[in-house]
Amino acid sequence: FSYPISEISGARRVRNPLIAGWGIRFLPGIRILNVSGLDAVEIGFHSRKYRVRIGTADAAGLLRALEQVRAEA
C-alpha cells in the first residue's frame, strides 16, 4: 500500500482485537497490516472511506515518526 502524506487526516494509537491476527486483513471500513502484537497506529484519510491500521511492536515510535513527517510536509 502507498498513500500520499497529504491524504492523511489524522492518526492515533489503537489496539487491534486478538481476532484480527497477523498479516493483511480487509474488514469493513478498515485495512489491517499487522506484523507484531496488538498495538497499532490507525490512519484516517481525507478522501478514502476506510482507515488503515499498522500493527507494530513500537506503536508510539511509529506515531511519532508519522507526526514528524506530517509536520514537515
Side-chain angles (χ1 to χ4, degrees):
F1 300 106
S2 177
Y3 304 99
I5 293 295
S6 61
E7 282 295 311
I8 296 175
S9 62
R12 64 188 181 116
R13 195 169 167 186
V14 296
R15 193 151 173 90
N16 284 327
L18 185 58
I19 197 167
W22 289 350
I24 299 171
R25 303 285 185 263
F26 296 91
L27 303 173
I30 195 159
R31 309 295 186 255
I32 299 176
L33 309 161
N34 195 17
V35 295
S36 178
L38 301 176
D39 291 328
V41 173
E42 183 176 279
I43 303 169
F45 301 94
H46 296 292
S47 63
R48 299 183 191 276
K49 294 181 180 180
Y50 61 86
R51 298 176 312 274
V52 171
R53 283 189 180 184
I54 302 172
T56 176
D58 186 11
L62 176 58
L63 184 58
R64 277 192 310 273
L66 184 59
E67 289 171 345
Q68 182 178 359
V69 169
R70 287 182 66 213
E72 293 172 358

Short mmCIF file of all heavy atoms in Angstrom, two decimals:
data_model
loop_
_atom_site.label_atom_id
_atom_site.label_comp_id
_atom_site.label_asym_id
_atom_site.label_seq_id
_atom_site.Cartn_x
_atom_site.Cartn_y
_atom_site.Cartn_z
N PHE A 1 0.83 -1.18 0.00
CA PHE A 1 0.00 0.00 0.00
C PHE A 1 0.88 1.24 0.00
O PHE A 1 1.94 1.26 0.60
CB PHE A 1 -0.90 0.05 1.24
CG PHE A 1 -1.83 -1.12 1.34
CD1 PHE A 1 -1.60 -2.13 2.24
CD2 PHE A 1 -2.93 -1.21 0.52
CE1 PHE A 1 -2.46 -3.19 2.36
CE2 PHE A 1 -3.80 -2.27 0.62
CZ PHE A 1 -3.57 -3.27 1.55
N SER A 2 0.39 2.28 -0.62
CA SER A 2 1.11 3.54 -0.66
C SER A 2 0.09 4.68 -0.64
O SER A 2 -0.87 4.66 -1.41
CB SER A 2 1.95 3.61 -1.94
OG SER A 2 2.59 4.84 -2.03
N TYR A 3 0.31 5.64 0.26
CA TYR A 3 -0.60 6.76 0.41
C TYR A 3 0.20 8.05 0.52
O TYR A 3 1.17 8.10 1.27
CB TYR A 3 -1.46 6.61 1.67
CG TYR A 3 -2.22 5.32 1.72
CD1 TYR A 3 -1.75 4.24 2.45
CD2 TYR A 3 -3.41 5.17 1.03
CE1 TYR A 3 -2.45 3.04 2.50
CE2 TYR A 3 -4.11 3.99 1.07
CZ TYR A 3 -3.63 2.93 1.81
OH TYR A 3 -4.33 1.74 1.85
N PRO A 4 -0.21 9.10 -0.18
CA PRO A 4 0.48 10.39 -0.04
C PRO A 4 0.26 10.97 1.37
O PRO A 4 -0.84 10.86 1.94
CB PRO A 4 -0.18 11.28 -1.08
CG PRO A 4 -0.98 10.39 -1.96
CD PRO A 4 -1.26 9.16 -1.18
N ILE A 5 1.28 11.56 1.93
CA ILE A 5 1.19 12.18 3.26
C ILE A 5 0.06 13.21 3.29
O ILE A 5 -0.65 13.34 4.28
CB ILE A 5 2.53 12.83 3.65
CG1 ILE A 5 3.60 11.76 3.85
CG2 ILE A 5 2.41 13.69 4.89
CD1 ILE A 5 3.35 10.82 5.01
N SER A 6 -0.13 13.93 2.19
CA SER A 6 -1.17 14.97 2.14
C SER A 6 -2.58 14.41 2.28
O SER A 6 -3.50 15.14 2.62
CB SER A 6 -1.06 15.76 0.84
OG SER A 6 -1.25 14.91 -0.28
N GLU A 7 -2.77 13.11 2.04
CA GLU A 7 -4.08 12.49 2.16
C GLU A 7 -4.45 12.12 3.59
O GLU A 7 -5.60 11.83 3.89
CB GLU A 7 -4.14 11.22 1.29
CG GLU A 7 -4.33 11.50 -0.17
CD GLU A 7 -5.68 12.15 -0.45
OE1 GLU A 7 -6.71 11.65 0.03
OE2 GLU A 7 -5.70 13.17 -1.14
N ILE A 8 -3.46 12.12 4.49
CA ILE A 8 -3.71 11.70 5.88
C ILE A 8 -4.44 12.80 6.64
O ILE A 8 -3.98 13.94 6.70
CB ILE A 8 -2.39 11.34 6.58
CG1 ILE A 8 -1.77 10.13 5.89
CG2 ILE A 8 -2.62 11.08 8.06
CD1 ILE A 8 -0.41 9.75 6.42
N SER A 9 -5.58 12.44 7.22
CA SER A 9 -6.34 13.41 8.00
C SER A 9 -6.00 13.34 9.49
O SER A 9 -6.26 14.27 10.23
CB SER A 9 -7.85 13.19 7.81
OG SER A 9 -8.21 11.90 8.27
N GLY A 10 -5.45 12.22 9.91
CA GLY A 10 -5.09 12.08 11.32
C GLY A 10 -4.60 10.67 11.60
O GLY A 10 -4.77 9.76 10.79
N ALA A 11 -4.01 10.51 12.78
CA ALA A 11 -3.52 9.20 13.20
C ALA A 11 -3.63 9.10 14.71
O ALA A 11 -3.53 10.12 15.41
CB ALA A 11 -2.08 9.01 12.75
N ARG A 12 -3.84 7.88 15.18
CA ARG A 12 -3.94 7.67 16.62
C ARG A 12 -3.48 6.26 16.96
O ARG A 12 -3.52 5.37 16.12
CB ARG A 12 -5.36 7.89 17.13
CG ARG A 12 -6.36 6.90 16.57
CD ARG A 12 -7.79 7.26 16.92
NE ARG A 12 -8.71 6.27 16.39
CZ ARG A 12 -9.46 5.48 17.12
NH1 ARG A 12 -9.44 5.58 18.44
NH2 ARG A 12 -10.27 4.61 16.56
N ARG A 13 -3.08 6.10 18.19
CA ARG A 13 -2.64 4.79 18.67
C ARG A 13 -3.87 3.99 19.08
O ARG A 13 -4.76 4.52 19.77
CB ARG A 13 -1.70 4.99 19.85
CG ARG A 13 -0.92 3.79 20.18
CD ARG A 13 0.15 4.14 21.17
NE ARG A 13 0.70 2.89 21.71
CZ ARG A 13 1.56 2.83 22.66
NH1 ARG A 13 2.02 3.92 23.22
NH2 ARG A 13 2.01 1.66 23.08
N VAL A 14 -3.94 2.73 18.65
CA VAL A 14 -5.07 1.87 18.96
C VAL A 14 -4.57 0.47 19.32
O VAL A 14 -3.38 0.18 19.23
CB VAL A 14 -6.06 1.76 17.77
CG1 VAL A 14 -6.70 3.11 17.47
CG2 VAL A 14 -5.39 1.19 16.55
N ARG A 15 -5.49 -0.38 19.69
CA ARG A 15 -5.17 -1.78 19.99
C ARG A 15 -6.08 -2.65 19.11
O ARG A 15 -7.30 -2.53 19.16
CB ARG A 15 -5.40 -2.06 21.46
CG ARG A 15 -4.83 -3.36 21.92
CD ARG A 15 -4.45 -3.23 23.40
NE ARG A 15 -4.03 -4.50 23.95
CZ ARG A 15 -2.78 -4.93 23.95
NH1 ARG A 15 -1.85 -4.17 23.45
NH2 ARG A 15 -2.48 -6.09 24.45
N ASN A 16 -5.46 -3.51 18.33
CA ASN A 16 -6.22 -4.41 17.47
C ASN A 16 -6.84 -5.53 18.31
O ASN A 16 -6.24 -5.99 19.28
CB ASN A 16 -5.31 -5.05 16.41
CG ASN A 16 -4.96 -4.10 15.31
OD1 ASN A 16 -5.75 -3.24 14.93
ND2 ASN A 16 -3.76 -4.23 14.77
N PRO A 17 -8.02 -6.00 17.91
CA PRO A 17 -8.59 -7.15 18.61
C PRO A 17 -7.77 -8.41 18.29
O PRO A 17 -7.19 -8.53 17.21
CB PRO A 17 -10.00 -7.26 18.03
CG PRO A 17 -9.93 -6.57 16.72
CD PRO A 17 -8.87 -5.51 16.84
N LEU A 18 -7.71 -9.32 19.21
CA LEU A 18 -6.95 -10.55 19.03
C LEU A 18 -7.40 -11.31 17.78
O LEU A 18 -6.58 -11.91 17.08
CB LEU A 18 -7.11 -11.44 20.27
CG LEU A 18 -6.29 -12.72 20.30
CD1 LEU A 18 -4.82 -12.42 20.18
CD2 LEU A 18 -6.58 -13.49 21.57
N ILE A 19 -8.66 -11.25 17.47
CA ILE A 19 -9.20 -11.95 16.31
C ILE A 19 -8.64 -11.44 14.98
O ILE A 19 -8.67 -12.13 13.97
CB ILE A 19 -10.75 -11.89 16.31
CG1 ILE A 19 -11.30 -12.95 15.38
CG2 ILE A 19 -11.24 -10.52 15.96
CD1 ILE A 19 -12.78 -13.19 15.53
N ALA A 20 -8.08 -10.24 14.98
CA ALA A 20 -7.51 -9.67 13.75
C ALA A 20 -6.30 -10.46 13.27
O ALA A 20 -6.01 -10.50 12.08
CB ALA A 20 -7.13 -8.21 13.96
N GLY A 21 -5.58 -11.09 14.21
CA GLY A 21 -4.44 -11.92 13.83
C GLY A 21 -3.29 -11.12 13.24
O GLY A 21 -3.21 -9.91 13.39
N TRP A 22 -2.40 -11.82 12.55
CA TRP A 22 -1.25 -11.20 11.91
C TRP A 22 -1.41 -11.24 10.41
O TRP A 22 -2.15 -12.05 9.86
CB TRP A 22 0.03 -11.92 12.28
CG TRP A 22 0.46 -11.72 13.70
CD1 TRP A 22 -0.06 -10.84 14.60
CD2 TRP A 22 1.48 -12.41 14.38
NE1 TRP A 22 0.58 -10.93 15.79
CE2 TRP A 22 1.54 -11.91 15.69
CE3 TRP A 22 2.36 -13.42 14.03
CZ2 TRP A 22 2.45 -12.36 16.63
CZ3 TRP A 22 3.26 -13.87 14.97
CH2 TRP A 22 3.31 -13.34 16.25
N GLY A 23 -0.73 -10.34 9.74
CA GLY A 23 -0.79 -10.28 8.29
C GLY A 23 -1.68 -9.16 7.81
O GLY A 23 -1.93 -8.18 8.51
N ILE A 24 -2.19 -9.32 6.61
CA ILE A 24 -3.04 -8.30 5.98
C ILE A 24 -4.49 -8.74 6.09
O ILE A 24 -4.83 -9.87 5.72
CB ILE A 24 -2.64 -8.11 4.51
CG1 ILE A 24 -1.19 -7.64 4.41
CG2 ILE A 24 -3.58 -7.11 3.83
CD1 ILE A 24 -0.65 -7.62 3.00
N ARG A 25 -5.33 -7.85 6.58
CA ARG A 25 -6.76 -8.14 6.74
C ARG A 25 -7.57 -7.01 6.12
O ARG A 25 -7.23 -5.84 6.27
CB ARG A 25 -7.15 -8.26 8.21
CG ARG A 25 -6.38 -9.30 8.97
CD ARG A 25 -6.87 -10.70 8.61
NE ARG A 25 -6.23 -11.71 9.43
CZ ARG A 25 -5.18 -12.41 9.06
NH1 ARG A 25 -4.63 -12.19 7.89
NH2 ARG A 25 -4.67 -13.33 9.83
N PHE A 26 -8.66 -7.37 5.46
CA PHE A 26 -9.58 -6.40 4.88
C PHE A 26 -10.92 -6.57 5.60
O PHE A 26 -11.61 -7.57 5.39
CB PHE A 26 -9.75 -6.63 3.37
CG PHE A 26 -8.50 -6.41 2.59
CD1 PHE A 26 -7.63 -7.47 2.34
CD2 PHE A 26 -8.17 -5.16 2.11
CE1 PHE A 26 -6.46 -7.27 1.63
CE2 PHE A 26 -7.01 -4.95 1.39
CZ PHE A 26 -6.15 -6.01 1.15
N LEU A 27 -11.25 -5.62 6.45
CA LEU A 27 -12.50 -5.64 7.18
C LEU A 27 -13.34 -4.44 6.73
O LEU A 27 -12.80 -3.48 6.17
CB LEU A 27 -12.23 -5.57 8.68
CG LEU A 27 -11.33 -6.68 9.25
CD1 LEU A 27 -11.01 -6.41 10.71
CD2 LEU A 27 -11.99 -8.03 9.09
N PRO A 28 -14.64 -4.45 6.98
CA PRO A 28 -15.46 -3.30 6.58
C PRO A 28 -14.93 -2.00 7.19
O PRO A 28 -14.81 -1.87 8.40
CB PRO A 28 -16.84 -3.64 7.14
CG PRO A 28 -16.85 -5.14 7.25
CD PRO A 28 -15.43 -5.52 7.59
N GLY A 29 -14.55 -1.08 6.34
CA GLY A 29 -14.10 0.24 6.77
C GLY A 29 -12.68 0.30 7.28
O GLY A 29 -12.23 1.36 7.72
N ILE A 30 -11.95 -0.81 7.23
CA ILE A 30 -10.60 -0.79 7.77
C ILE A 30 -9.72 -1.81 7.07
O ILE A 30 -10.17 -2.87 6.65
CB ILE A 30 -10.60 -1.03 9.30
CG1 ILE A 30 -9.28 -0.64 9.92
CG2 ILE A 30 -10.99 -2.43 9.65
CD1 ILE A 30 -9.37 -0.37 11.39
N ARG A 31 -8.45 -1.45 6.92
CA ARG A 31 -7.43 -2.35 6.40
C ARG A 31 -6.41 -2.52 7.51
O ARG A 31 -5.95 -1.53 8.08
CB ARG A 31 -6.72 -1.78 5.16
CG ARG A 31 -7.63 -1.29 4.07
CD ARG A 31 -8.43 -2.44 3.46
NE ARG A 31 -9.20 -1.99 2.32
CZ ARG A 31 -10.51 -1.80 2.33
NH1 ARG A 31 -11.19 -1.96 3.43
NH2 ARG A 31 -11.15 -1.46 1.24
N ILE A 32 -6.06 -3.75 7.84
CA ILE A 32 -5.10 -4.00 8.92
C ILE A 32 -3.85 -4.65 8.33
O ILE A 32 -3.94 -5.65 7.62
CB ILE A 32 -5.71 -4.92 10.01
CG1 ILE A 32 -6.92 -4.25 10.64
CG2 ILE A 32 -4.66 -5.25 11.06
CD1 ILE A 32 -7.65 -5.11 11.66
N LEU A 33 -2.72 -4.06 8.64
CA LEU A 33 -1.41 -4.60 8.26
C LEU A 33 -0.69 -4.87 9.58
O LEU A 33 -0.11 -3.95 10.17
CB LEU A 33 -0.63 -3.59 7.43
CG LEU A 33 -1.39 -3.01 6.23
CD1 LEU A 33 -0.75 -1.73 5.76
CD2 LEU A 33 -1.45 -4.02 5.13
N ASN A 34 -0.77 -6.09 10.07
CA ASN A 34 -0.26 -6.38 11.40
C ASN A 34 0.95 -7.28 11.34
O ASN A 34 0.88 -8.41 10.86
CB ASN A 34 -1.35 -7.04 12.24
CG ASN A 34 -1.02 -7.04 13.71
OD1 ASN A 34 -0.16 -6.30 14.14
ND2 ASN A 34 -1.71 -7.85 14.48
N VAL A 35 2.09 -6.77 11.82
CA VAL A 35 3.32 -7.55 11.82
C VAL A 35 3.76 -7.95 13.22
O VAL A 35 4.63 -8.81 13.35
CB VAL A 35 4.47 -6.79 11.11
CG1 VAL A 35 4.16 -6.61 9.65
CG2 VAL A 35 4.75 -5.47 11.77
N SER A 36 3.16 -7.36 14.25
CA SER A 36 3.62 -7.68 15.59
C SER A 36 2.59 -7.26 16.64
O SER A 36 2.20 -6.11 16.70
CB SER A 36 4.94 -6.96 15.88
OG SER A 36 5.37 -7.21 17.18
N GLY A 37 2.17 -8.19 17.46
CA GLY A 37 1.33 -7.89 18.61
C GLY A 37 0.00 -7.26 18.29
O GLY A 37 -0.51 -7.36 17.18
N LEU A 38 -0.56 -6.59 19.29
CA LEU A 38 -1.89 -5.99 19.15
C LEU A 38 -1.86 -4.47 19.05
O LEU A 38 -2.85 -3.86 18.66
CB LEU A 38 -2.77 -6.39 20.35
CG LEU A 38 -2.98 -7.89 20.55
CD1 LEU A 38 -3.78 -8.14 21.81
CD2 LEU A 38 -3.65 -8.50 19.34
N ASP A 39 -0.74 -3.84 19.42
CA ASP A 39 -0.64 -2.38 19.35
C ASP A 39 -0.51 -1.94 17.90
O ASP A 39 0.14 -2.59 17.09
CB ASP A 39 0.56 -1.87 20.14
CG ASP A 39 0.37 -2.06 21.64
OD1 ASP A 39 -0.78 -2.00 22.10
OD2 ASP A 39 1.37 -2.29 22.33
N ALA A 40 -1.17 -0.83 17.57
CA ALA A 40 -1.18 -0.37 16.18
C ALA A 40 -1.37 1.14 16.12
O ALA A 40 -1.73 1.78 17.11
CB ALA A 40 -2.30 -1.05 15.40
N VAL A 41 -1.14 1.68 14.94
CA VAL A 41 -1.44 3.07 14.64
C VAL A 41 -2.52 3.06 13.57
O VAL A 41 -2.38 2.40 12.54
CB VAL A 41 -0.18 3.84 14.15
CG1 VAL A 41 -0.56 5.23 13.68
CG2 VAL A 41 0.85 3.92 15.26
N GLU A 42 -3.61 3.76 13.84
CA GLU A 42 -4.71 3.85 12.88
C GLU A 42 -4.62 5.18 12.14
O GLU A 42 -4.51 6.23 12.77
CB GLU A 42 -6.05 3.74 13.60
CG GLU A 42 -7.23 3.76 12.67
CD GLU A 42 -8.53 3.56 13.40
OE1 GLU A 42 -8.86 2.40 13.70
OE2 GLU A 42 -9.18 4.57 13.71
N ILE A 43 -4.67 5.12 10.83
CA ILE A 43 -4.53 6.30 9.99
C ILE A 43 -5.83 6.55 9.25
O ILE A 43 -6.38 5.66 8.61
CB ILE A 43 -3.38 6.10 8.97
CG1 ILE A 43 -2.08 5.80 9.72
CG2 ILE A 43 -3.23 7.33 8.09
CD1 ILE A 43 -0.95 5.34 8.83
N GLY A 44 -6.33 7.79 9.35
CA GLY A 44 -7.52 8.21 8.61
C GLY A 44 -7.12 9.06 7.42
O GLY A 44 -6.05 9.68 7.41
N PHE A 45 -7.98 9.09 6.42
CA PHE A 45 -7.67 9.81 5.18
C PHE A 45 -8.78 10.79 4.82
O PHE A 45 -9.93 10.58 5.17
CB PHE A 45 -7.48 8.81 4.03
CG PHE A 45 -6.38 7.83 4.26
CD1 PHE A 45 -6.64 6.59 4.81
CD2 PHE A 45 -5.07 8.17 3.97
CE1 PHE A 45 -5.63 5.68 5.04
CE2 PHE A 45 -4.05 7.27 4.20
CZ PHE A 45 -4.33 6.02 4.74
N HIS A 46 -8.41 11.83 4.11
CA HIS A 46 -9.38 12.83 3.66
C HIS A 46 -10.34 12.26 2.62
O HIS A 46 -11.53 12.53 2.68
CB HIS A 46 -8.66 14.04 3.05
CG HIS A 46 -7.83 14.81 4.01
ND1 HIS A 46 -8.35 15.53 5.05
CD2 HIS A 46 -6.48 14.96 4.09
CE1 HIS A 46 -7.37 16.10 5.74
NE2 HIS A 46 -6.23 15.76 5.18
N SER A 47 -9.84 11.50 1.68
CA SER A 47 -10.67 11.11 0.53
C SER A 47 -10.92 9.60 0.43
O SER A 47 -11.32 9.13 -0.61
CB SER A 47 -10.01 11.60 -0.77
OG SER A 47 -8.76 10.98 -0.92
N ARG A 48 -10.69 8.87 1.49
CA ARG A 48 -10.94 7.43 1.45
C ARG A 48 -12.00 7.07 2.49
O ARG A 48 -12.07 7.68 3.55
CB ARG A 48 -9.67 6.63 1.72
CG ARG A 48 -8.62 6.91 0.67
CD ARG A 48 -7.38 6.07 0.89
NE ARG A 48 -6.30 6.52 0.05
CZ ARG A 48 -6.11 6.15 -1.22
NH1 ARG A 48 -6.96 5.31 -1.78
NH2 ARG A 48 -5.11 6.61 -1.91
N LYS A 49 -12.78 6.07 2.19
CA LYS A 49 -13.85 5.67 3.09
C LYS A 49 -13.38 4.69 4.16
O LYS A 49 -14.14 4.30 5.01
CB LYS A 49 -15.00 5.04 2.30
CG LYS A 49 -15.67 6.03 1.39
CD LYS A 49 -16.81 5.39 0.65
CE LYS A 49 -17.47 6.42 -0.27
NZ LYS A 49 -18.58 5.87 -1.01
N TYR A 50 -12.14 4.27 4.08
CA TYR A 50 -11.62 3.33 5.06
C TYR A 50 -10.40 3.90 5.78
O TYR A 50 -9.82 4.89 5.36
CB TYR A 50 -11.26 2.00 4.38
CG TYR A 50 -10.19 2.11 3.32
CD1 TYR A 50 -8.85 2.04 3.64
CD2 TYR A 50 -10.53 2.26 1.98
CE1 TYR A 50 -7.86 2.14 2.67
CE2 TYR A 50 -9.56 2.36 1.00
CZ TYR A 50 -8.22 2.29 1.36
OH TYR A 50 -7.26 2.39 0.39
N ARG A 51 -10.06 3.26 6.89
CA ARG A 51 -8.87 3.61 7.67
C ARG A 51 -7.86 2.46 7.53
O ARG A 51 -8.23 1.34 7.19
CB ARG A 51 -9.25 3.78 9.13
CG ARG A 51 -10.24 4.91 9.35
CD ARG A 51 -10.68 5.00 10.81
NE ARG A 51 -11.07 3.74 11.42
CZ ARG A 51 -12.28 3.19 11.36
NH1 ARG A 51 -13.24 3.80 10.69
NH2 ARG A 51 -12.55 2.06 11.96
N VAL A 52 -6.62 2.75 7.82
CA VAL A 52 -5.57 1.74 7.78
C VAL A 52 -4.96 1.63 9.17
O VAL A 52 -4.66 2.64 9.80
CB VAL A 52 -4.47 2.12 6.75
CG1 VAL A 52 -3.28 1.18 6.86
CG2 VAL A 52 -5.03 2.10 5.35
N ARG A 53 -4.80 0.40 9.63
CA ARG A 53 -4.12 0.16 10.90
C ARG A 53 -2.83 -0.59 10.63
O ARG A 53 -2.82 -1.61 9.94
CB ARG A 53 -4.98 -0.69 11.84
CG ARG A 53 -6.07 0.07 12.49
CD ARG A 53 -6.74 -0.76 13.55
NE ARG A 53 -7.80 0.00 14.18
CZ ARG A 53 -8.51 -0.44 15.19
NH1 ARG A 53 -8.28 -1.65 15.69
NH2 ARG A 53 -9.46 0.31 15.71
N ILE A 54 -1.75 -0.08 11.18
CA ILE A 54 -0.45 -0.71 11.05
C ILE A 54 -0.05 -1.23 12.42
O ILE A 54 0.21 -0.46 13.33
CB ILE A 54 0.61 0.27 10.51
CG1 ILE A 54 0.15 0.83 9.16
CG2 ILE A 54 1.96 -0.41 10.40
CD1 ILE A 54 1.01 1.95 8.63
N GLY A 55 -0.03 -2.55 12.56
CA GLY A 55 0.36 -3.18 13.81
C GLY A 55 1.87 -3.26 13.91
O GLY A 55 2.54 -3.65 12.97
N THR A 56 2.40 -2.91 15.08
CA THR A 56 3.85 -2.86 15.26
C THR A 56 4.20 -3.03 16.74
O THR A 56 3.37 -2.77 17.61
CB THR A 56 4.41 -1.51 14.76
OG1 THR A 56 5.80 -1.45 15.03
CG2 THR A 56 3.72 -0.33 15.39
N ALA A 57 5.42 -3.46 16.99
CA ALA A 57 5.90 -3.58 18.37
C ALA A 57 6.21 -2.21 18.97
O ALA A 57 6.36 -2.07 20.18
CB ALA A 57 7.15 -4.45 18.41
N ASP A 58 6.30 -1.17 18.14
CA ASP A 58 6.61 0.18 18.61
C ASP A 58 5.60 1.18 18.05
O ASP A 58 5.93 2.04 17.24
CB ASP A 58 8.04 0.57 18.20
CG ASP A 58 8.48 1.91 18.79
OD1 ASP A 58 7.78 2.45 19.69
OD2 ASP A 58 9.51 2.43 18.34
N ALA A 59 4.36 1.06 18.50
CA ALA A 59 3.30 1.94 18.02
C ALA A 59 3.57 3.40 18.37
O ALA A 59 3.33 4.30 17.56
CB ALA A 59 1.94 1.51 18.57
N ALA A 60 4.10 3.65 19.55
CA ALA A 60 4.40 5.03 19.95
C ALA A 60 5.46 5.63 19.03
O ALA A 60 5.35 6.79 18.60
CB ALA A 60 4.86 5.08 21.41
N GLY A 61 6.49 4.88 18.71
CA GLY A 61 7.54 5.36 17.81
C GLY A 61 7.03 5.60 16.41
O GLY A 61 7.39 6.59 15.77
N LEU A 62 6.18 4.70 15.92
CA LEU A 62 5.60 4.87 14.58
C LEU A 62 4.73 6.12 14.53
O LEU A 62 4.80 6.90 13.59
CB LEU A 62 4.79 3.64 14.19
CG LEU A 62 4.05 3.71 12.86
CD1 LEU A 62 5.00 3.98 11.70
CD2 LEU A 62 3.27 2.43 12.63
N LEU A 63 3.93 6.33 15.57
CA LEU A 63 3.07 7.51 15.61
C LEU A 63 3.91 8.79 15.65
O LEU A 63 3.61 9.74 14.92
CB LEU A 63 2.14 7.45 16.82
CG LEU A 63 1.11 8.56 16.94
CD1 LEU A 63 0.22 8.63 15.70
CD2 LEU A 63 0.26 8.37 18.18
N ARG A 64 4.97 8.81 16.44
CA ARG A 64 5.86 9.99 16.49
C ARG A 64 6.48 10.26 15.12
O ARG A 64 6.53 11.40 14.66
CB ARG A 64 6.96 9.80 17.53
CG ARG A 64 6.57 10.12 18.93
CD ARG A 64 7.77 10.18 19.86
NE ARG A 64 8.66 9.04 19.78
CZ ARG A 64 8.51 7.91 20.48
NH1 ARG A 64 7.50 7.78 21.32
NH2 ARG A 64 9.38 6.92 20.34
N ALA A 65 6.95 9.21 14.46
CA ALA A 65 7.57 9.38 13.14
C ALA A 65 6.55 9.90 12.13
O ALA A 65 6.86 10.79 11.33
CB ALA A 65 8.16 8.05 12.67
N LEU A 66 5.36 9.37 12.16
CA LEU A 66 4.31 9.81 11.25
C LEU A 66 3.95 11.27 11.49
O LEU A 66 3.82 12.06 10.56
CB LEU A 66 3.08 8.93 11.39
CG LEU A 66 1.92 9.19 10.46
CD1 LEU A 66 2.33 9.05 9.00
CD2 LEU A 66 0.78 8.23 10.76
N GLU A 67 3.82 11.65 12.75
CA GLU A 67 3.51 13.04 13.09
C GLU A 67 4.63 13.98 12.65
O GLU A 67 4.37 15.09 12.17
CB GLU A 67 3.23 13.18 14.58
CG GLU A 67 1.91 12.55 14.98
CD GLU A 67 1.71 12.49 16.48
OE1 GLU A 67 2.68 12.67 17.25
OE2 GLU A 67 0.56 12.23 16.90
N GLN A 68 5.87 13.54 12.79
CA GLN A 68 7.01 14.36 12.37
C GLN A 68 7.01 14.56 10.86
O GLN A 68 7.20 15.68 10.37
CB GLN A 68 8.33 13.72 12.81
CG GLN A 68 9.53 14.53 12.44
CD GLN A 68 10.83 13.90 12.92
OE1 GLN A 68 10.82 12.85 13.56
NE2 GLN A 68 11.94 14.52 12.61
N VAL A 69 6.77 13.51 10.10
CA VAL A 69 6.73 13.61 8.65
C VAL A 69 5.59 14.52 8.20
O VAL A 69 5.74 15.34 7.30
CB VAL A 69 6.61 12.21 8.00
CG1 VAL A 69 6.31 12.31 6.53
CG2 VAL A 69 7.88 11.43 8.24
N ARG A 70 4.44 14.40 8.85
CA ARG A 70 3.29 15.25 8.51
C ARG A 70 3.60 16.71 8.81
O ARG A 70 3.20 17.60 8.06
CB ARG A 70 2.04 14.82 9.27
CG ARG A 70 1.46 13.51 8.74
CD ARG A 70 0.20 13.11 9.44
NE ARG A 70 -0.84 14.09 9.16
CZ ARG A 70 -1.80 14.43 10.02
NH1 ARG A 70 -1.86 13.90 11.21
NH2 ARG A 70 -2.72 15.32 9.67
N ALA A 71 4.29 16.99 9.90
CA ALA A 71 4.63 18.37 10.26
C ALA A 71 5.62 18.99 9.28
O ALA A 71 5.58 20.18 9.02
CB ALA A 71 5.21 18.40 11.67
N GLU A 72 6.49 18.16 8.72
CA GLU A 72 7.48 18.65 7.76
C GLU A 72 6.95 18.80 6.35
O GLU A 72 7.55 19.47 5.54
CB GLU A 72 8.69 17.68 7.75
CG GLU A 72 9.46 17.68 9.04
CD GLU A 72 10.52 16.61 9.10
OE1 GLU A 72 10.65 15.83 8.13
OE2 GLU A 72 11.23 16.53 10.12
N ALA A 73 5.81 18.17 6.08
CA ALA A 73 5.25 18.19 4.72
C ALA A 73 4.59 19.51 4.40
O ALA A 73 4.20 20.27 5.19
CB ALA A 73 4.26 17.06 4.54
#
